[in-house]
């Protein structure tokens, strides 16, 4: 393409009020424009990258035997009612009525539609396994769209779904996706770390996120400094010394004491008759599927809500508000505790979950469920009756890895892909089954697997940009090479640039000829800003038959004979993508 005829609306200045580098540079370099909150137009340069990403993903999925579909973005709400997800996704789902009054939604994901096709047409074990995928627009009414393409309300997703006979088959499909995802991200030149993830409300047995480690990410990832351990903070574990068989703390009797105005762990730690945070029991009150549940953790630790949700196996979880707390426990926050409370599925308190680190603790302090009164001498064994023990702890930087003892660190991660063992959640709720070789009907075992295409584009920008602008990996770049005459008044230079442009195009390279009547410095800066990986500069030495080849990412520059330039480009591209 000729720059003079292309649509590359670069800006001289950074856009205002923009934080993420990808957001800033994609706007400034003329790749995207915002239409409305969380909705972007992809301009030609961005669309070139998007199509390259799609092609890489498609090739790798086809290689593993997956079959491409294209389902509708428009979906009848009945399918979501059948799966029971209509409520859990209600706040992000775009819904409306058509002219006849039928309820429709724009697809948040496509588990329901794929399952409805599977149940109609898969009847026998002979048809399994199947892996189906598509590239389709997803719509999510995010409360806080942010950071350009990183969190949007409309985006392209590659979503695939596997259907297997049993758990073993699902394990295989899951592993196949795991390996394929690693290849996809490697080919894209994007470093993505697989991390263990929280399975959410669907109770699947395994879930792995592929994360780009970048400050632009909004997830927190726990990494081990010694081994390969990597997990989302929602799921991460750290080692601790259990007390159950060895704690020698003093036994003491349960005694109330007045704590006027003391409302926090800190205040109680400073209070004369109080106790350090590590000897307090923090009692938190939640509504789990509309029922009151208590969560207990050590006073110096943070409750992990994702782990609490796993412990309670609930679909919806939120903190109780003050009125709900007073009604259930008879006291206000700051004086709460679980001593003597018996949970019952339909009682005032439906569940009491205690963190495993509390096991065996003696002589603890906690609220008495009377305002301004606490209890000391609390024994976990004697005074509190949790109905389940669970790891509820939020890992902190510097704690120890459970597998190797190495030190754990916390970093920011940006989710690029997620692979998920769904098991039989959808096949059971939506009745999708097959007959085995003995004629018995079994549910399909399903997995679902996603990659956000535009987010991957933005992640590549985040990971590779520098002070001069974008710097695309060769496999994704909108153009492999930009060719320019240093002096745009010099007919000889222009002619040579044109010749090289034609030759390289003929060799199959994506070429951009900067034929604008601009100073060399302007052309260099623009080429750097839009991030083309190679630049060929036709300058004074062209008269002697030489041009300059510059690599964008490190500015390494070398002279080549014009006759050798396509071989030189070939060698560079091959080295960059292998
Ligand atoms: Zn480790």
């Amino acid at each position: 393409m000729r720059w003079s005829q292309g649509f590359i609306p670069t800006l001289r200045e950074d856009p205002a009020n923009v934080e993420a580098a990808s957001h800033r540079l994609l706007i400034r370099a003329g790749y995207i424009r915002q239409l409305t909150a969380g909705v972007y137009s992809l301009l030609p340069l961005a669309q070139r990258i998007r199509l390259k990403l799609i092609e890489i993903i498609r090739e790798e999925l086809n290689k593993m035997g997956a079959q491409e579909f294209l389902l509708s973005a428009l979906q009848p709400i009945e399918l979501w009612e059948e799966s029971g997800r209509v409520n859990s996704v209600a706040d992000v789902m775009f819904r409306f009525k058509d002219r006849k009054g039928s309820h429709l939604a724009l697809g948040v994901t496509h588990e329901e539609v794929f399952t409805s096709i599977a149940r109609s047409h898969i009847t026998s074990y002979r048809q399994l396994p199947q892996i189906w995928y598509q590239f389709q627009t997803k719509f999510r009414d995010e409360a806080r769209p942010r950071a350009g393409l990183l969190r949007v309300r409309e985006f392209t997703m590659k979503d695939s779904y596997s259907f297997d006979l049993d758990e073993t088959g699902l394990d295989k499909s899951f592993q196949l996706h795991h390996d394929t995802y690693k290849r996809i991200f490697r080919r894209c030149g994007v470093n993505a770390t697989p991390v263990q993830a929280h399975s959410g409300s669907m109770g699947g047995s395994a879930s792995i996120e592929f994360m780009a480690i970048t400050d632009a990410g909004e997830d927190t990832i726990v990494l081990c400094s010694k081994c390969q351990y990597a997990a989302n903070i929602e799921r991460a574990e750290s080692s601790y010394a259990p007390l159950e068989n060895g704690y020698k703390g003093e036994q003491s009797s349960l005694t109330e004491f007045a704590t006027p105005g003391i409302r926090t762990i800190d205040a109680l730690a400073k209070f004369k008759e109080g106790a350090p945070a590590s000897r307090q029991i923090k009692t938190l009150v939640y509504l789990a599927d509309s029922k009151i549940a208590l969560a207990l953790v050590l006073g110096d630790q943070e409750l992990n809500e994702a782990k609490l949700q796993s412990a309670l196996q609930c679909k919806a979880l939120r903190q109780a508000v003050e009125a709900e707390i007073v009604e259930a426990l008879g006291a206000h926050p700051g004086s709460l505790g679980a001593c003597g409370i018996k949970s019952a599925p339909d009682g005032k308190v439906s569940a009491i979950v205690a963190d495993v680190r509390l096991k065996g603790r003696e002589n603890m302090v906690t609220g008495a469920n009377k305002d301004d009164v606490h209890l000391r001498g609390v024994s976990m064994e004697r005074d509190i009756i949790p109905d389940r023990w669970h790891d509820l702890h939020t890992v902190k930087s510097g704690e120890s890895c459970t597998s190797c003892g190495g030190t754990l660190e916390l970093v920011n991660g940006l989710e690029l892909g997620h692979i998920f063992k769904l098991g039989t959640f959808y096949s059971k709720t939506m009745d999708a089954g097959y007959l085995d070789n003995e004629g018995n009907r079994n549910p399909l075992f399903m997995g679902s697997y996603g990659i956000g295409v535009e987010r991957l584009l933005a992640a590549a920008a985040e990971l590779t940009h520098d002070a001069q602008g974008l710097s695309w990996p060769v496999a994704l770049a909108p153009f492999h090479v930009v060719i320019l005459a240093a002096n745009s008044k010099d007919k000889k230079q222009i002619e040579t640039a044109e010749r090289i442009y034609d030759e390289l195009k003929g060799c199959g390279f994506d070429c951009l000829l900067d034929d604008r009547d601009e100073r060399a410095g302007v052309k260099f800066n623009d080429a750097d800003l839009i991030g083309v990986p190679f630049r060929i500069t036709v300058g004074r030495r062209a008269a002697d038959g030489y041009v300059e080849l510059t690599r964008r990412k490190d500015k390494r520059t070398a002279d080549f004979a014009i006759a050798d330039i396509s071989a030189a480009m070939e060698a560079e591209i091959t080295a960059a993508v292998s």
Side-chain angles (χ1 to χ4, degrees):
M1 194 185 76
R2 289 166 185 276
W3 198 311
S4 63
Q5 284 150 39
F7 184 68
I8 310 176
T10 57
L11 307 177
R12 278 181 194 283
E13 305 290 335
D14 281 336
N17 304 321
V18 159
E19 275 174 29
S22 61
H23 188 191
R24 172 170 57 82
L25 290 169
L26 289 171
I27 289 179
R28 183 159 174 201
Y31 281 75
I32 60 171
R33 288 295 180 265
Q34 184 173 354
L35 183 61
T36 183
V39 181
Y40 283 83
S41 306
L42 300 191
L43 308 187
L45 291 186
Q47 171 66 347
R48 290 181 78 99
I49 298 182
R50 176 177 172 275
L51 292 175
K52 288 189 178 186
L53 282 169
I54 287 178
E55 210 35 53
I56 291 172
I57 298 168
R58 176 179 281 136
E59 274 176 29
E60 292 298 331
L61 284 169
N62 288 348
K63 245 186 250 171
M64 74 174 205
Q67 302 158 80
E68 186 165 355
F69 282 56
L70 180 57
L71 305 187
S72 169
L74 210 53
Q75 303 179 3
I77 204 74
E78 287 80 9
L79 278 180
W80 292 79
E81 281 163 353
E82 255 191 80
S83 74
R85 282 210 299 170
V86 69
N87 293 323
S88 59
V89 300
D91 50 342
V92 295
M93 190 182 236
F94 284 102
R95 300 174 59 163
F96 51 93
K97 280 186 200 171
D98 66 13
R99 64 173 75 207
K100 291 183 183 138
S102 307
H103 288 270
L104 295 167
L106 293 176
V108 176
T109 70
H110 281 74
E111 277 85 356
E112 281 80 359
V113 186
F114 271 110
T115 306
S116 77
I117 294 174
R119 76 173 163 195
S120 307
H121 300 286
I122 294 179
T123 50
S124 154
Y125 70 96
R126 288 193 191 88
Q127 295 166 280
L128 295 170
Q130 292 282 323
I131 299 177
W132 298 347
Y133 78 99
Q134 64 171 347
F135 293 93
Q136 170 61 295
T137 309
K138 305 289 189 231
F139 297 88
R140 293 183 190 172
D141 195 2
E142 293 282 353
R144 282 174 296 279
R146 61 172 279 276
L149 299 183
L150 293 181
R151 181 165 291 280
V152 289
R153 299 197 295 163
E154 177 183 336
F155 59 97
T156 313
M157 187 170 171
K158 183 290 294 174
D159 44 332
S160 39
Y161 304 85
S162 60
F163 300 89
D164 281 283
L165 293 169
D166 51 23
E167 197 92 51
T168 315
L170 172 55
D171 289 347
K172 258 193 204 158
S173 296
F174 185 81
Q175 190 59 42
L176 210 51
H177 274 87
H178 189 281
D179 298 344
T180 298
Y181 272 36
K182 286 209 298 205
R183 271 200 303 279
I184 289 170
F185 294 122
R186 194 165 51 230
R187 277 188 63 184
C188 292
V190 170
N191 200 353
T193 307
V195 312
Q196 297 175 22
H198 173 54
S199 291
S201 55
M202 287 181 292
S205 53
S207 152
I208 288 178
E209 293 162 329
F210 288 80
M211 291 279 186
I213 306 300
T214 157
D215 286 339
E218 34 185 24
D219 282 277
T220 304
I221 308 303
V222 176
L223 299 176
C224 176
S225 54
K226 262 168 78 183
C227 74
Q228 295 288 306
Y229 180 76
N232 193 305
I233 190 88
E234 294 184 328
R235 157 88 190 256
E237 295 174 354
S238 59
S239 67
Y240 69 99
L243 289 178
E244 41 199 331
N245 299 321
Y247 187 64
K248 297 281 192 290
E250 51 196 299
Q251 276 265 7
S252 50
S253 57
L254 196 60
T255 318
E256 283 188 359
F257 64 109
T259 49
I262 302 294
R263 292 283 180 276
T264 63
I265 299 283
D266 267 0
L268 190 57
K270 287 177 190 138
F271 186 59
K272 187 158 54 84
E273 294 165 65
S278 59
R279 274 196 37 231
Q280 299 182 36
I281 302 168
K282 203 192 288 187
T283 306
L284 297 145
V285 188
Y286 278 83
L287 258 84
D289 293 338
S290 317
K291 291 179 178 174
I292 293 279
L294 304 185
L296 312 182
V297 293
L298 278 166
D300 59 356
Q301 298 185 354
E302 289 302 317
L303 172 79
N304 187 315
E305 288 189 358
K307 289 182 180 177
L308 179 61
Q309 191 179 15
S310 302
L312 291 166
Q313 293 283 303
C314 59
K315 288 205 170 63
L317 183 74
R318 68 164 172 86
Q319 280 195 310
V321 298
E322 192 150 340
E324 292 162 341
I325 293 172
V326 173
E327 203 203 314
L329 298 179
H332 290 84
S335 305
L336 306 177
C339 287
I341 295 182
K342 275 207 179 110
S343 62
D346 289 312
K348 262 192 175 173
V349 171
S350 73
I352 301 174
V353 192
D355 178 57
V356 288
R357 287 161 183 77
L358 281 167
K359 243 184 198 171
R361 301 265 172 179
E362 300 285 347
N363 201 14
M364 302 293 282
V365 172
T366 193
N369 290 334
K370 294 178 192 167
D371 286 338
D372 294 329
V373 179
H374 278 77
L375 288 163
R376 73 162 69 93
V378 178
S379 156
M380 281 304 295
E381 303 296 309
R382 184 192 61 204
D383 305 320
I384 295 184
I385 321 151
D387 53 79
R388 63 203 90 176
W389 294 92
H390 204 272
D391 175 16
L392 297 179
H393 168 67
T394 303
V395 170
K396 287 182 263 193
S397 172
E399 292 181 348
S400 302
C401 172
T402 53
S403 21
C404 79
T407 308
L408 298 175
E409 57 162 340
L410 270 53
V411 297
N412 284 359
L414 177 64
E415 184 191 321
L416 302 178
H418 197 165
I419 59 175
F420 202 96
K421 287 186 188 174
L422 298 170
T424 55
F425 179 88
Y426 292 92
S427 44
K428 281 186 176 156
T429 52
M430 295 182 63
D431 192 25
Y434 68 93
L435 294 178
D436 64 21
N437 56 1
E438 285 163 358
N440 302 311
R441 193 172 151 81
N442 300 302
L444 294 168
F445 277 72
M446 288 175 58
S448 85
Y449 317 87
I451 293 178
V453 177
E454 291 85 6
R455 185 184 276 198
L456 181 50
L457 182 158
E462 285 291 340
L463 295 175
T464 57
H465 76 280
D466 60 21
Q468 278 75 48
L470 297 162
S471 180
W472 297 108
V474 169
L476 307 186
F479 297 99
H480 294 125
V481 57
V482 55
I483 302 145
L484 57 90
N487 179 352
S488 41
K489 309 286 184 213
D490 184 322
K491 286 221 172 84
K492 260 256 142 58
Q493 284 185 15
I494 293 169
E495 238 177 66
T496 308
E498 295 265 0
R499 214 169 65 229
I500 293 173
Y501 172 63
D502 287 337
E503 184 189 334
L504 293 182
K505 260 200 318 184
C507 296
F509 296 108
D510 289 332
C511 301
L512 179 60
L513 177 70
D514 191 349
D515 56 346
R516 297 173 302 166
D517 184 12
E518 292 281 3
R519 284 182 295 112
V522 171
K523 295 188 200 177
F524 291 167
N525 288 345
D526 280 350
D528 284 354
L529 176 63
I530 70 169
V532 178
F534 296 97
R535 184 182 81 212
I536 293 172
T537 309
V538 182
R540 280 195 207 112
R541 292 203 64 205
D544 309 325
Y546 288 92
V547 292
E548 249 177 38
L549 178 60
T550 304
R551 187 162 71 176
R552 166 69 182 85
K553 70 174 178 186
D554 55 7
K555 299 285 156 61
R556 187 198 64 193
T557 298
D559 284 350
F560 284 92
I562 293 170
D564 298 336
I565 197 69
S566 62
M569 274 301 299
E570 191 73 58
E572 289 286 2
I573 301 283
T574 309
V577 296
S578 59

